[in-house]
Amino acid sequence: MGGLRLLAVALTCCWWPQGSQGKTLRGSFNSAAAREAQGQSIGHFEFHGDHALLCVRINNIAVAVGKEAKLYLFQAQEWLKLQENNHGYSCSEKLSKAQLTMTMNQTEHNLTVSQIPSPQAWHVFYADKYTCGGDAETLQVDDIPFEMVLLNPDAEGNPLDHFSARESGLHEFFFLLVLMYFVIACIYAQSLWQALKKGGPMHMILKVLTTALLLQAGSALANYIHFSRYSKDGIGVPFMGSLAEFFDIASQIQMLYLLLSLCMGWTIVRMKKSQSRPLQWDSTPASTGIAVFIVITQSILLLWEQFEDASHHSSHSHHSLAGILLIVLRICLALSLGFGLYQIITVERSSLKREFYITFAKGCILWFLCHPSLACISVIFSDYQRDKVITIGVILCQSVSMVILYRLFLSHSLYWEVSSLSSVTLPLTISSAHKSRPHF
């Protein structure tokens, strides 16, 4: 299984997703692109409250005036209706249905988006006189460089907040999360280090679990650094956003590796074991192949999801096919684990072992099912709140799951005693008879 972990990390390193652009947008208005798509898509933003602001700065005013350059703002729902409408609106008719229009004939333009009853997404498009008509042969090729800043009102009502309604609150959440990790590290780092130095039955488990925890803490810190800069310039640090995604994916892989290592003999290949040794670790080619397949499958799905939805700085989205397949995979793993442990618990006579299995099942099932459960719960929230509910909820639930597993493996009354009762009944333990070490 050592090669398995290295392979998973190698996959993550090779397919590192790129950071997405922030809400200070820079680029060029292009007439050819606008003509081809009946409007050049510039970006979208969830405005909220009164006095939200769209600010555009351009340099080549003469070209903009000559092209009759304009920006068109559509509410997301209205734009979706236009795209799905079969009435066959012409290009000019579609543009005429924009809720807000801005004519660009100055160096700087400010457009106030006000009286928004509830947060909603707006799409921004560029178009000029060549978009819906005009002679293509006389199409001016000069682009118009621009910088666009999208702002929401802050607590005092001033348009200074770079966060859209979909992102608001994440900066504060990651600050509190980093603070929590720091406080916990100050309290428990020394005792955990001593436990790791002592070795014992839970040494390798604690090592892998601690690695996953450090990766999650690194992801939280990288997200906090990105959002801290984002709050000032609307761009952030895209590298730190990508680094947060990388750490989160690596943490997911580490935890899947750990839980598969502990549960493989309990759930997947239990029918091959005798009842006297129901939890013995099975290192046969069949079990190793299954573990490799599951870990690589999750790695590919996590990376595929990031590439399909690069605007989210987390691996907890479920808007794509990859996200849906990840949810299905986690449900299957949770059901398999739950079914295997239920069979063991029903025939187990030792109350100490039953307590161990039940506690372990709680931690593992919470880890696997928190994402699917929160994805279902999120449908009762507004669209702009769903990603935040899933992201924050998954991070908190997985943190609780780690706490449960830490308490279990550090408890001398549970894992230590259970492993002492039968050194061959629990995987990843050190046999007192042979003093053999587990290999990763």
Side-chain angles (χ1 to χ4, degrees):
M1 291 297 289
L4 171 61
R5 181 170 58 169
L6 293 176
L7 177 61
V9 175
L11 282 171
T12 306
C13 293
C14 292
W15 292 343
W16 191 334
Q18 299 297 317
S20 61
Q21 193 175 23
K23 293 309 174 186
T24 295
L25 308 176
R26 297 187 178 97
S28 297
F29 297 129
N30 184 280
S31 297
R35 183 184 182 91
E36 181 180 356
Q38 296 186 350
Q40 179 186 1
S41 177
I42 305 302
H44 67 276
F45 191 71
E46 284 83 13
F47 291 107
H48 65 79
D50 290 332
H51 308 299
L53 184 67
L54 184 151
C55 178
V56 182
R57 302 181 184 92
I58 60 176
N59 295 325
N60 203 335
I61 302 175
V63 174
V65 173
K67 290 184 177 183
E68 300 177 8
K70 295 182 180 180
L71 289 180
Y72 296 85
L73 274 72
F74 295 85
Q75 293 181 0
Q77 294 181 350
E78 297 300 324
W79 176 253
L80 184 61
K81 290 179 182 179
L82 288 175
Q83 295 296 98
E84 296 177 348
N85 203 312
N86 296 323
H87 292 300
Y89 290 117
S90 65
C91 172
S92 57
E93 287 175 336
K94 283 185 178 180
L95 294 177
S96 67
K97 294 184 178 296
Q99 281 70 40
L100 294 172
T101 305
M102 174 193 292
T103 301
M104 291 184 290
N105 51 17
Q106 300 177 13
T107 302
E108 182 172 330
H109 300 78
N110 294 321
L111 177 64
T112 301
V113 184
S114 59
Q115 297 180 350
I116 302 176
S118 62
Q120 52 188 296
W122 290 70
H123 292 272
V124 183
F125 291 88
Y126 165 81
D128 53 37
K129 67 180 183 180
Y130 300 102
T131 301
C132 298
D135 189 355
E137 296 181 357
T138 62
L139 180 65
Q140 296 188 32
V141 295
D142 292 339
D143 294 340
I144 306 174
F146 73 89
E147 179 182 83
M148 180 182 298
V149 181
L150 303 162
L151 297 167
N152 272 318
D154 59 13
E156 298 178 355
N158 301 315
L160 300 173
D161 186 4
H162 289 278
F163 292 102
S164 70
R166 189 179 296 271
E167 301 159 334
S168 63
L170 289 178
H171 182 207
E172 293 79 3
F173 168 73
F174 283 112
F175 168 75
L176 294 175
L177 189 62
V178 170
L179 180 62
M180 181 189 72
Y181 279 126
F182 176 76
V183 172
I184 292 176
C186 292
I187 298 174
Y188 296 106
Q190 184 176 1
S191 59
L192 179 59
W193 174 250
Q194 291 175 352
L196 289 171
K197 288 177 64 177
K198 288 180 180 179
M202 67 285 198
H203 174 261
M204 294 305 296
I205 297 175
L206 289 177
K207 185 177 178 180
V208 177
L209 188 59
T210 302
T211 301
L213 180 63
L214 290 175
L215 288 170
Q216 280 204 334
S219 176
L221 179 60
N223 267 318
Y224 172 68
I225 294 173
H226 168 68
F227 282 120
S228 294
R229 178 68 67 84
Y230 189 100
S231 65
K232 299 176 181 178
D233 60 11
I235 298 176
V237 187
F239 169 76
M240 297 306 295
S242 295
L243 191 63
E245 293 172 354
F246 167 75
F247 283 153
D248 186 75
I249 292 174
S251 174
Q252 299 291 325
I253 294 172
Q254 283 276 13
M255 283 299 294
L256 181 62
Y257 163 76
L258 171 65
L259 299 182
L260 279 177
S261 298
L262 291 172
C263 304
M264 185 74 68
W266 307 356
T267 59
I268 299 176
V269 293
R270 182 177 180 272
M271 68 283 297
K272 297 181 181 180
K273 300 180 181 299
S274 64
Q275 292 298 321
S276 61
R277 296 166 64 186
L279 303 185
Q280 183 184 2
W281 170 251
D282 189 347
S283 58
T284 63
S287 64
T288 302
I290 294 173
V292 170
F293 174 77
I294 294 175
V295 171
I296 292 180
T297 299
Q298 172 163 297
S299 304
I300 293 174
L301 290 177
L302 285 169
L303 295 165
W304 178 14
E305 182 185 32
Q306 292 299 313
F307 280 111
E308 283 198 347
D309 196 2
S311 62
H312 294 84
H313 285 287
S314 73
S315 60
H316 308 299
S317 178
H318 63 287
H319 302 286
S320 61
L321 175 61
I324 296 174
L325 292 176
L326 271 172
I327 290 177
V328 172
L329 175 62
R330 286 164 178 156
I331 292 175
C332 292
L333 289 173
L335 291 177
S336 175
L337 169 65
F339 178 73
L341 287 177
Y342 175 78
Q343 287 185 318
I344 295 173
I345 292 171
T346 53
V347 299
E348 181 58 58
R349 297 181 179 181
S350 170
S351 59
L352 187 61
K353 286 188 177 182
R354 283 200 304 270
E355 183 183 356
F356 170 80
Y357 299 140
I358 292 172
T359 305
F360 181 82
K362 290 178 181 177
C364 293
I365 292 176
L366 178 61
W367 179 275
F368 285 126
L369 289 187
C370 63
H371 186 190
S373 300
L374 288 166
C376 295
I377 294 173
S378 67
V379 299
I380 67 176
F381 293 88
S382 301
D383 179 68
Y384 73 94
Q385 294 177 319
R386 290 172 186 170
D387 286 335
K388 289 189 292 187
V389 169
I390 295 175
T391 298
I392 295 175
V394 167
I395 291 174
L396 293 179
C397 288
Q398 291 184 345
S399 298
V400 172
S401 175
M402 283 189 167
V403 170
I404 293 174
L405 294 177
Y406 262 117
R407 288 173 58 88
L408 183 65
F409 296 131
L410 287 173
S411 173
H412 287 262
S413 63
L414 285 177
Y415 190 85
W416 190 286
E417 292 298 330
V418 170
S419 60
S420 298
L421 292 175
S422 176
S423 61
V424 297
T425 61
L426 290 174
L428 298 182
T429 61
I430 301 179
S431 174
S432 58
H434 299 89
K435 304 295 182 182
S436 59
R437 294 182 60 87
H439 297 282
F440 284 78

